[in-house]
Amino acid sequence: IEVMPSSSLGAIADRIEEKGFFLVARHQFGCRVLERLIEHCTEKEMGRLNDSFVERAEPLSRHQYGNFVVQHLLEHGARHRGAQVLRRLLPTIAQLAMHRTASHVVQAALTYASDEGQRAIATGLLAAAAPHSLLEVAASRYGSFVVEDLQGLRCPGAPPLLDAIRLRLAYAGPEQLSSASFQRVAQRFGLALAPPSAL
């Protein structure tokens, strides 16, 4: 795909559409073909496939291979595609942050999102309720890396968001404080919170 003339790539995208994009996106090697197409095809050539990826972004994010397609769309797709993917993910952003594979998609969204998108992710995580609250995300194995990445927010208005996150982390209960993942996050945010056994 990387060495083929771009005029030939549209035919590959059409064939994938015939076979079923969802099946191909969730295949160990099919996802790699889709990644290369996202990198090398124009929006015009990939438009219908990209529409499909956006439509199924949430279930693809949870899949061991499909998540790579969503990450690639966030990184290499047109700016409006990343915004469309993020709109699909925001209603379940905290649950996705705690998921083994979807957490990588959330991290990619934080990296490649617009300023508005970054604020939306941070706000969504702050607003999430139990059992997916910010504290629970920070104490989870995979979510902790997402919360750590929030420290790198570069959008306008980031300092107040980071202060709100830091304040929320400071109110951790014994369950969160006993988590090594949470302790790592707290330390990254400059908080020295002792685990319950040390109290």
Side-chain angles (χ1 to χ4, degrees), residues 178-189:
S178 62
S179 161
S181 297
F182 183 87
Q183 287 295 325
R184 190 185 71 248
V185 170
Q187 189 173 33
R188 179 81 193 269
F189 275 85

Side-chain angles (χ1 to χ4, degrees), residues 151-172:
Q151 187 71 332
L153 285 179
R154 64 189 184 286
C155 59
L161 280 171
L162 291 172
D163 288 343
I165 292 165
R166 194 173 292 106
L167 182 62
R168 186 75 50 88
L169 294 173
Y171 283 98

